[in-house]
Structure formats: C-alpha cells, structure tokens
Amino acid sequence: MTASLTRRSLLSLAGVTGIGLAVAACSSGDGGVDKGSGGSGGATAGGGASAKPVAKSLSPARVPLAGGVTITVAGSGLAAVKGVTVGGVAARDVRATATKVTFTAPHQAMYTAGSADVALFTDAIEPSPSANQSSDGNGSAANDGQAGATQDGATATPTPTASPVPDASTAVATTTLAYAALTDVDRQLEYAMAHWKDYNTAEYGTMNPIGGDCANYVSQTLIARGWKQRSDWYNRDAGAAHSATWTYCPTMDPWLTANAAEFGLTRRSLDERDKVKVGDIVFYDWNDNDSPDHTTIVSEVFTEPDGTIRIKSASHNQDGPYRDLDEMITVQHPGGTAWFHTFDA
C-alpha cells in the first residue's frame, strides 16, 4: 500500500516537473513569446519576436486647431509604424522607433475643438488636400460672378483626387489627443468654419441683397481673430449700418494696404504663395482689371509631393470651407488673378 502510494506520488511530481520544463523551453527572457512554434505567438518568419504595437502615452495631449505641433506617441513595438491619422486626417513627418512615433499634427478637419483619434498604421498614408463642399443656403453663387457649377462639382479641376484614408478601426494601435482654440488664428478659423454656410445674420446681417457677402464674412473672421471695430471699419445693428471698408472688396483692399503697418500685414503677389499662412486674406480679380471682385480667408496651405503649394480658403459667395485658389482663377474664372494680405506674425 505504501509502495503504491509512493509510486503514484513520484509520477505526479514528475508530471509537474515536466510541465515546468516545457514552459521554460518555450519561453524567452523578452516577454515569454514562443519563438519556435511559427504560430500566433507574434513570431516572425526569421525567428525574431515581433511585439504587438502598444501606444502608452501621447505628448502634448492638447494641440491648436491649426495643428503644426510635433506629437510624440510613446509605447512599445512601434518600429513598423509608417502612417498616422488624426481625426481621419493624415499626418506628415511620421518617424518611428521601437518605443516612440513622432509626427506633425494636421489641422483639425473643420477647426472644431474636441477629442480626436490618433491611429497608427504600418502602411504609409499620403496626406491630401481637404475636399471642398458648398452651400447655397444663405449665399448666392451668382454674387461671385459664377456662371457654371459650384467648385466642388466642376468637371475640370487642378485639385488632385484625395486618396482614401484608412479607418481608425484598422489601426495597429490608437490613442487620442485634444484639439483646442489656443491662438488667434484658431479662433479665426473656428469662426470661419462655424459660419461658412450658417450666416451669423443676427449679429452682422447679410450683404447678398447689395452685391455679395464675401467681405462681410472676411471682416467677421478678423473680429474673431481679435480685431476691434473702429470708426473706419464697422458693422452695426446687424448690418443696418456698415462701412464700405467692411463690406466692399474694392474699398477693403486699399484700406488694408494703407493700414498694413498698423495691422501687421504685408501685401503679396500670387507668386509669393510660399509666404501664405492659414488665416491670411486673399483678394481675387476675375477680369484682371486691377479691381478686386472677391475675398476669402485662407483655410489650408497644402504642399504637394512635387513642391506645388496649394491654397485653400473659406468664403461666402460661393459658400465653401476649402475652395481651391487655382481652380477659382482658371476653371471658374479663366484669366483671373489673385493676391494676398499676409499677417507678419
């Protein structure tokens, strides 16, 4: 009886020892990944471990609506990351090591404060310019001198077709950051995007009945940027009283030039687009007669892979958030030209 029990005990102990040896044989000092099975333990074909990407922290956690800030995602297994999207917008300057990924935050898609998903991918994602949309709800295409289709419906366009951006649900790792209106430019574009189709008529009225609302809209965005109304530039009583410098392009343009030093502005020609930034002012001359017909606010400056600088802007008449400058002066208004008033700081 005693001998039989002892034999069973020894067999039991041998079994436990065998299991322990098996575990030790399949483990390594770098996280217990099975290097020899070739199965789903994260092994590579060459026998080296490939850890699952993990995003542990992100810095800074809050960025301006206009982006442009370098973001660092710290974690593990990140060396294979080649592409990043933030709120569905592809980021530039993606660099990755095993423990961190850095990239330049894009502007928030519609300059709206809030949380945005940061998605990491193993495939490179080529940034593309923002797509325009249009609305005739408050404005009028005719007031822009537009005879044909609205810009986002034009058949001939120099704007490249945007590549599809992968959904964040397919990312190898995700985290979040917060967009906030931290600068004057942020507040200007936040207002511009909030009111490109929903006119703020209660405060500023609409100038469509007297020729177009584009200058009225641009002036409103400058107020959001921090400018103050003054005796020679104003809109009062929901547009019942207003200055020509506020509402009329041919008067507003020379007024900005005359006060450029005070406002911190520089007038620039069309071929100086490399000096243009988000929030700058654009004037357009459809028939090249040195008198502006239209004005907009720059909402995006996008550099193509070949170095071409594309200027997008928000406007009334037509009402749109990302209208393409080159399309406006070639497809919509052939023979037109444009110039800028850029902010020095």
Side-chain angles (χ1 to χ4, degrees):
M1 189 72 161
T2 302
S4 177
L5 180 61
T6 302
R7 188 167 179 269
R8 286 199 300 271
S9 299
L10 289 172
L11 288 172
S12 176
L13 287 172
V16 171
T17 303
I19 292 171
L21 292 172
V23 171
C26 294
S27 301
S28 70
D30 58 357
V33 178
D34 184 347
K35 294 184 179 181
S37 68
S40 58
T44 62
S50 177
K52 176 179 173 60
V54 177
K56 297 179 180 178
S57 65
L58 179 145
S59 178
R62 189 174 70 156
V63 299
L65 299 179
V69 175
T70 299
I71 302 294
T72 300
V73 177
S76 58
L78 300 175
V81 172
K82 296 180 181 178
V84 177
T85 63
V86 185
V89 179
R92 293 183 184 270
D93 311 316
V94 178
R95 302 286 186 272
T97 68
T99 58
K100 71 177 182 180
V101 174
T102 61
F103 58 91
T104 301
H107 68 78
Q108 201 282 334
M110 291 298 290
Y111 293 90
T112 303
S115 179
D117 289 330
V118 177
L120 311 182
F121 300 89
T122 55
D123 292 326
I125 304 169
E126 191 68 35
S128 58
S130 297
N132 190 47
Q133 49 187 305
S134 64
S135 171
D136 289 327
N138 288 288
S140 167
N143 285 334
D144 180 25
Q146 175 62 33
T150 56
Q151 188 177 77
D152 53 339
T155 54
T157 171
T159 306
T161 302
S163 301
V165 176
D167 189 86
S169 64
T170 66
V172 295
T174 60
T175 183
T176 60
L177 62 72
Y179 278 104
L182 303 179
T183 69
D184 290 343
V185 175
D186 285 344
R187 288 180 279 274
Q188 180 188 18
L189 270 295
E190 184 179 43
Y191 182 94
M193 292 300 173
H195 295 289
W196 70 266
K197 64 177 177 179
D198 295 322
Y199 283 29
N200 188 359
T201 54
E203 191 168 1
Y204 297 108
T206 174
M207 303 302 150
N208 285 327
I210 60 173
D213 200 63
C214 62
N216 184 29
Y217 172 71
V218 166
S219 293
Q220 292 170 43
T221 73
L222 295 174
I223 292 292
R225 186 179 178 120
W227 287 27
K228 305 296 183 184
Q229 295 194 39
R230 39 194 271 172
S231 61
D232 60 346
W233 182 70
Y234 61 88
N235 179 320
R236 304 185 185 119
D237 302 323
H242 56 85
S243 65
T245 54
W246 181 287
T247 60
Y248 186 50
C249 287
T251 304
M252 185 183 195
D253 176 51
W255 176 77
L256 291 172
T257 300
N259 293 280
E262 179 182 354
F263 298 151
L265 294 172
T266 298
R267 194 181 192 278
R268 299 189 185 277
S269 63
L270 187 59
D271 60 3
E272 294 181 279
R273 62 177 72 196
D274 61 316
K275 305 293 195 304
V276 175
K277 306 176 296 299
V278 169
D280 290 343
I281 307 164
V282 194
F283 280 90
Y284 305 81
D285 180 359
W286 300 144
N287 53 7
D288 200 13
N289 67 350
D290 298 321
S291 178
D293 301 289
H294 190 50
T295 185
T296 65
I297 284 293
V298 175
S299 54
E300 183 174 81
V301 180
F302 185 89
T303 303
E304 303 286 357
D306 64 1
T308 299
I309 298 173
R310 192 165 300 287
I311 306 294
K312 299 272 192 166
S313 58
S315 71
H316 284 178
N317 317 115
Q318 298 166 0
D319 301 343
Y322 291 108
R323 300 180 64 199
D324 186 273
L325 182 152
D326 292 301
E327 186 174 334
M328 291 165 74
I329 63 175
T330 58
V331 176
Q332 293 188 292
H333 302 280
T337 189
W339 59 91
F340 311 99
H341 291 275
T342 64
F343 284 85
D344 298 335

